[in-house]
Amino acid sequence: MHRLLAPLVLLLVALASVAGGAVWFIQRDRQALVEQFGRDRQAQLEEAASGVARSLEDLGDNLRFASELLAQPGSAGDHHNELRALLESVGQYRAIAVLGPDGEERLFLVDHKSRHLPREAVHPPALADTARQALTAPVGHVIPSPPIEGASSGWMRVFAIRIDSDMPGGGGVVAILVDTEPIFAPLRMVTVEENTRLLLLGAHGTPAPMSDPSLASWHRRLGETDGKLVPGLRTLVARMRAGASGSLRINEAEASRLGLGAADSVATFRPLRMRGEASWSVATLSSTSALRAHERTLVLRLSLAALLVAVFLVAFGTYVVLANRREVALQESLRHAAKFAHLHEKTQKILDHIPTGILALDREGRISAVNQALRARLPTTAVGSTLPEAFPTAPMAAVQRLTAMVLAARDKGAVHSLHGEPLSLFNEKDQFNVHAVPLEHGDGEASTLLVLEDLSNVRMLEDQLLRAEKLATVGVLAAGVAHEIGTPLGIIRGHAEYMLQKVGGVEHPQGRGLNAIVTQIDRVSRIIRQLLDLSRLQPARAGVVPLAPLVRGLQELLDVEAERRHVHFELDVPERLPSLAADADQLQQVLLNLALNACDACSPGGHVRLSATTCMAGDTPAVEIRVQDDGRGIAPEHLHQVFDPFFTTKKRGQGTGLGLSVVAQIVRNHGGQVGVESEPGRGTVFTLRWPVAAAPGWEERHAV
């Protein structure tokens, strides 16, 4: 006994030393963890900011291209058409102005989406002011404006560049009014983590609208007495204005004042440059509270683990002492028992973890065991029942075939198989490979194995592969079409509009033909945009999106479209539904496509209903959205094609067959499911199962 206690005491002392050393090591390396945390945040910021920097570079390149274009010989009409093509090809551009070397405006263009706005909204004083500043700037130097006062959006900026021309009367400035919000939108991805704040300083040192309100408020007070309370933020802003990049620590007291929680914070920052010019600067401030909590949890777990191991060692030592006298007598029995248990466990695990369903049947044809792959799909009383009782929803003919296979395999001592049979054991679309395997040394409880290999996933993967190949083909086609005919179409359209204006509109004998050219080019351009939308659909940046407000925002448009088609539109979306994990714009696109398709499918006087309820997608809470119509329906042979690119049941010229392909791709990118049920002459139902945004206590708050 004494000889055993000494090693146990030594083990406990060693274990305590290891636990204490681990705790000391974690505390000593906390600085390294914080530094690694800062490097991770810096890499995350670099990844998000690289796309913004490329967009700013593209903006600068477009300005330089426009200035070089205007410096070349050409008529005013040519320059007007070329600038019009540039304006319409970039969605963020709202207006273009060209000023002569004397500062007088020579040309002013507004994009088609902003034509309905008041002139002061697209021609603010900042447009001319910034252009005149560029007259004295070096050639190729882009001059940005401060935030435009009075604009509906704080994102509107003017960018101007001097035109270098040796022609008589040449030179001047070209200026573009730009909505910069889409350019900086990728920066939002760095704030999805909890306790992370964003500070974006514009070219003139003022916070952009994307900046955290608390940080923007402290930024405005840096020059006041309150600025002394946040020296870390003051240093950060100074480095950002200097165009530097890097990271710095902010102590716990200052982080708490800035709204980052009671823990040290790490600030990472970098400039956003346009051809070497420090135009903007972005920074993220992230709390290290998660590291502190992780450290405390790890120390606690190590302590508990040490205690549990110590208790286990003491109990094990006591057991060894008590069992020492019986060790010799029981050694052989234990060896055989361990071997048998190992073989039994190994066999059970193999059967339970293979994806194929296996039933063991006794000599009387009753089920004696079921593996994990089938256990969840059979009734809880399956063990001990017959095959007809185990498959209560299956057709009797299918169950009889299984029973006959088992009897034949047992009688002949050979394996009997069926391949790819539509047995419909659980639903109408089931297909299985079935094998009845007799056991040569089977006992009374297991004389035959019935192996059911479900082919549903194989068929689904084949369909997905076929759809992916089609989408890849669409992507190549879309890129080629957009590259080859997009720009020529824009030029043709500009000339056609110009000629239409010259002849005095559609009342002229040639006006109808010119108007038809513009209309058809617009139709081709829409098809090209749909192709590009399908081929360039990016992974969804899911946020928290309440469904009811989003649908209410669509209701006015849908009511107008339904009234125009003489269709009754009904909406049933409860306010208390959980928020969805979705990109709001893409979710809106899905619902709009499905609702408009349903309206198109209805005859005058038809009904369209959009409804939503909570449901479960497997073990995950979700929201089921249904778009139902009583229109003409879809033929059964076409149901499997509705989500394929270019497939449409509409008349020629009324649809491209791309809308539902985009819908299916968006839903799958969000981790959701989309399905369709239809009966010719009775209508169609599209069903979406969309995952909800993660939130604690969802079941209690949204129980229905």
Side-chain angles (χ1 to χ4, degrees), residues 360-426:
L361 294 98
D362 61 16
R363 292 192 180 122
E364 297 178 2
R366 293 187 174 274
I367 298 172
S368 57
V370 183
N371 76 333
Q372 187 173 350
L374 271 181
R375 195 173 298 131
R377 305 181 71 179
L378 295 179
T380 55
T381 59
V383 176
S385 64
T386 61
L387 288 177
E389 295 169 344
F391 299 95
T393 62
M396 183 55 66
V399 178
Q400 289 175 350
R401 292 189 69 181
L402 296 182
T403 304
M405 285 182 63
V406 171
L407 294 175
R410 185 188 307 161
D411 294 341
K412 297 182 180 179
V415 177
H416 281 61
S417 301
L418 295 175
H419 297 282
E421 289 292 322
L423 295 177
S424 303
L425 296 178
F426 302 102

Side-chain angles (χ1 to χ4, degrees), residues 60-82:
D61 291 341
N62 286 341
L63 271 170
R64 295 182 183 93
F65 169 75
S67 68
E68 293 171 2
L69 190 66
L70 293 169
Q72 302 299 320
S75 67
D78 292 339
H79 289 165
H80 178 281
N81 292 336
E82 290 161 345

Side-chain angles (χ1 to χ4, degrees), residues 124-296:
L127 193 65
D129 294 343
T130 307
R132 294 189 180 99
Q133 292 178 27
L135 283 171
T136 61
V139 175
H141 190 85
V142 178
I143 301 298
S145 74
I148 297 177
E149 296 182 0
S152 59
S153 169
W155 290 102
M156 302 302 292
R157 301 287 192 281
V158 176
F159 296 83
I161 190 169
R162 185 157 67 90
I163 302 171
D164 185 21
S165 176
D166 297 330
M167 297 176 57
V173 175
V174 58
I176 302 180
L177 179 64
V178 181
D179 181 3
T180 59
E181 183 175 9
I183 295 176
F184 294 98
L187 294 178
R188 297 186 190 278
M189 64 181 290
V190 300
T191 61
V192 297
E193 295 186 5
E194 188 177 2
N195 292 333
T196 298
R197 304 289 186 269
L198 180 73
L199 179 62
L200 176 62
L201 298 183
H204 295 268
T206 57
M210 188 181 292
S211 300
D212 178 73
S214 177
L215 295 180
S217 174
W218 279 105
H219 180 276
R220 288 191 295 271
R221 291 185 282 167
L222 286 179
E224 304 173 3
T225 306
D226 291 346
K228 298 179 181 180
L229 299 175
V230 286
L233 180 62
R234 178 182 293 176
T235 302
L236 172 64
V237 171
R239 294 187 184 180
M240 292 173 68
R241 290 175 175 171
S245 63
S247 62
L248 57 86
R249 291 276 298 276
I250 296 178
N251 62 42
E252 180 177 337
E254 183 175 348
S256 180
R257 295 189 192 100
L258 295 175
L260 294 169
D264 291 349
S265 296
V266 175
T268 58
F269 53 94
R270 64 153 287 174
L272 302 171
R273 303 179 184 274
M274 296 177 64
R275 190 70 66 85
E277 306 164 14
S279 299
W280 274 265
S281 185
V282 62
T284 59
L285 289 81
S286 303
S287 173
T288 61
S289 57
L291 291 179
R292 180 175 296 182
H294 175 72
E295 177 183 336
R296 289 196 295 265

Side-chain angles (χ1 to χ4, degrees), residues 566-614:
H566 304 289
V567 173
H568 176 71
F569 179 75
E570 180 183 355
L571 187 65
D572 182 15
V573 179
E575 292 287 342
R576 290 178 56 82
L577 284 175
S579 297
L580 304 184
D583 181 309
D585 290 338
Q586 294 187 6
L587 175 57
Q588 189 178 57
Q589 182 181 358
V590 167
L591 297 180
L592 189 61
N593 275 352
L594 292 179
L596 292 180
N597 277 356
C599 290
D600 289 339
C602 291
S603 301
H607 292 76
V608 175
R609 185 172 188 267
L610 192 157
S611 60
T613 58
T614 56

